[in-house]
Amino acid sequence: MTTTVDQQKGSSYALMHREEQPRQSHHGDQTTQVLPTTPTARFPTEHTSALSTSALKELTPSHLRRTRPTFWAMMQHVFVFLLLSTALTGSFYFFVKTSIGQRLDEIAFTEFSYQLTDYQQPTERILNFIPTVAVISAIIGLIFVVIWKHRFVPSLIGLGIAMCSYLSAYLLKYHLITKPNYGIQEAVLNSAPSGHTTVAAAAGSALFLAAPKKLRPLVALISAILTAATGFSTIVNGWHRPADVITAVLLVSLWTVIGLAILRFVRSEELDMSNTQRSGLILIPLLSIAGSFLGFCSLALYAITIYSPFPGCALSAATCMILTVISFSTSWLVTLLRPQNKIRSPYYTKVWTY
């Protein structure tokens, strides 16, 4: 059996651009030139130009064909962005602008300070320790990611998002948000968002965006824990109110969503086909269920604080609210890790499959 050179040039190996020196195949008295089988061979232009576009699409991997995110993928980012924006605006308005919000925040702040006095010294150490450790860990992680995975652009985007988070927190705290004086809170000036909480969350956000996709759920979980520890430490030591922590978490999460949307247009992100479905299958439902339960408890306890308060009620309500915001924010960010190149299946899938 023999094959001619022209027949081999028209085969599917021409699409693979194989490159190797031709070899001779001897079959009886005939000698036939056999084309190379390595993936880098190049054939004359007249042969490749005759190939149809559909044939190229069939042999080109789908994750290389799609260089831009789908409309559905971007709509997910827009939806989460609107949710976080609404939550952030509502938190500023209710806890800073309204008298009832200031009263609830002040009661929770007072209960944290007086009922958890014994925890002020150890939490102060945590407060001085965690933001510094978070920043140093983020810097080391960014350097390691750049050297190990050559993810320079994602690292640069993560660093930019962290800087934007801190800058916007500074502008909101000192220039854009003014707190009306209802005679409820001793401090007249606005203190939201919390600077310490913003630094801890922004450091985690930078590392979250720079890390490879398969490591991001773990980075998000660790960042959420450190952010919660920092936020509660600021409240226990009397540095910030619960609303300050809530707005800081929402603000950094908002910027992180923007960073994830930008990453969808980055080539290195396009080629990262890591499967995060297993970790998401566990993390997203757990955080969503916990956030829903804690959110219900927070609203119920806030209502009890208004109409029939008891000692520790506002403290429990504020604790549940902070954990609710952190749980939902982390869950939504992990949900947005769905690969942009994955064509949406026409069949029904579970809500946490991404």
Side-chain angles (χ1 to χ4, degrees):
M1 298 176 61
T2 61
T3 53
T4 63
V5 175
D6 290 336
Q7 288 175 335
Q8 289 288 340
K9 288 181 179 179
S11 66
S12 60
Y13 288 107
L15 297 176
M16 306 295 291
H17 299 292
R18 301 178 179 259
E19 187 175 283
E20 189 183 65
Q21 293 300 324
R23 57 187 176 86
Q24 300 295 327
S25 176
H26 301 277
H27 297 274
D29 297 330
Q30 296 182 357
T31 301
T32 304
Q33 187 178 21
V34 180
L35 291 181
T37 57
T38 56
T40 54
R42 290 174 174 80
F43 298 109
T45 308
E46 61 269 15
H47 293 282
T48 55
S49 60
L51 297 172
S52 64
T53 305
S54 59
L56 287 172
K57 289 183 177 180
E58 288 295 329
L59 292 178
T60 306
S62 60
H63 67 279
L64 295 180
R65 292 204 308 265
R66 190 184 297 280
T67 57
R68 291 293 182 269
T70 62
F71 174 79
W72 170 247
M74 294 308 298
M75 286 305 299
Q76 293 181 65
H77 287 73
V78 172
F79 180 70
V80 175
F81 180 86
L82 293 177
L83 280 178
L84 292 172
S85 300
T86 303
L88 180 62
T89 305
S91 298
F92 273 122
Y93 176 77
F94 180 74
F95 289 109
V96 177
K97 297 294 186 179
T98 65
S99 60
I100 186 173
Q102 286 190 13
R103 184 161 68 90
L104 291 174
D105 212 25
E106 183 68 19
I107 295 173
F109 174 73
T110 304
E111 290 184 352
F112 266 102
S113 300
Y114 284 97
Q115 295 190 21
L116 300 178
T117 306
D118 296 337
Y119 296 95
Q120 288 184 355
Q121 186 174 358
T123 53
E124 186 176 1
R125 296 174 184 173
I126 295 176
L127 190 58
N128 296 327
F129 179 73
I130 289 183
T132 304
V133 171
V135 172
I136 294 176
S137 300
I139 294 175
I140 295 175
L142 290 176
I143 296 174
F144 182 72
V145 166
V146 170
I147 297 176
W148 177 41
K149 290 293 186 179
H150 308 287
R151 295 174 60 83
F152 176 77
V153 176
S155 300
L156 190 63
I157 293 174
L159 184 61
I161 291 298
M163 294 177 63
C164 289
S165 299
Y166 184 79
L167 180 61
S168 58
Y170 178 85
L171 293 176
L172 287 171
K173 184 176 182 178
Y174 294 107
H175 298 284
L176 300 179
I177 302 296
T178 57
K179 183 174 69 174
N181 185 9
Y182 296 113
I184 299 173
Q185 298 180 353
E186 183 179 353
V188 179
L189 297 178
N190 173 52
S191 58
S194 166
H196 284 76
T197 309
T198 301
V199 169
S205 174
L207 193 56
F208 172 79
L209 294 172
K213 193 178 297 182
K214 64 180 180 180
L215 297 179
R216 285 180 187 164
L218 178 61
V219 174
L221 183 60
I222 296 175
S223 175
I225 295 173
L226 294 178
T227 301
T230 304
F232 283 117
S233 298
T234 60
I235 302 172
V236 171
N237 285 274
W239 292 14
H240 283 284
R241 294 177 172 80
D244 304 346
V245 177
I246 293 172
T247 52
V249 173
L250 290 173
L251 180 63
V252 176
S253 299
L254 193 67
W255 278 105
T256 308
V257 172
I258 297 176
L260 285 175
I262 297 174
L263 281 177
R264 288 189 175 271
F265 294 88
V266 177
R267 185 63 176 171
S268 60
E269 192 74 7
E270 176 76 19
L271 297 176
D272 187 356
M273 301 301 295
S274 303
N275 185 8
T276 57
Q277 187 168 354
R278 288 185 178 179
S279 55
L281 189 63
I282 299 174
L283 194 60
I284 295 175
L286 287 180
L287 291 176
S288 300
I289 293 172
S292 301
F293 175 74
L294 292 171
F296 172 79
C297 294
S298 177
L299 295 177
L301 290 170
Y302 271 130
I304 295 174
T305 303
I306 296 174
Y307 298 105
S308 182
F310 60 85
C313 184
L315 183 151
S316 302
T319 301
C320 291
M321 181 59 70
I322 293 173
L323 294 177
T324 297
V325 171
I326 293 176
S327 298
F328 274 124
S329 298
T330 307
S331 175
W332 292 341
L333 291 177
V334 176
T335 303
L336 292 178
L337 295 180
R338 177 179 179 176
Q340 67 188 61
N341 47 48
K342 183 177 180 181
I343 300 177
R344 191 182 180 191
S345 173
Y347 303 103
Y348 172 80
T349 55
K350 297 181 177 64
V351 294
W352 56 77
T353 302
Y354 63 101

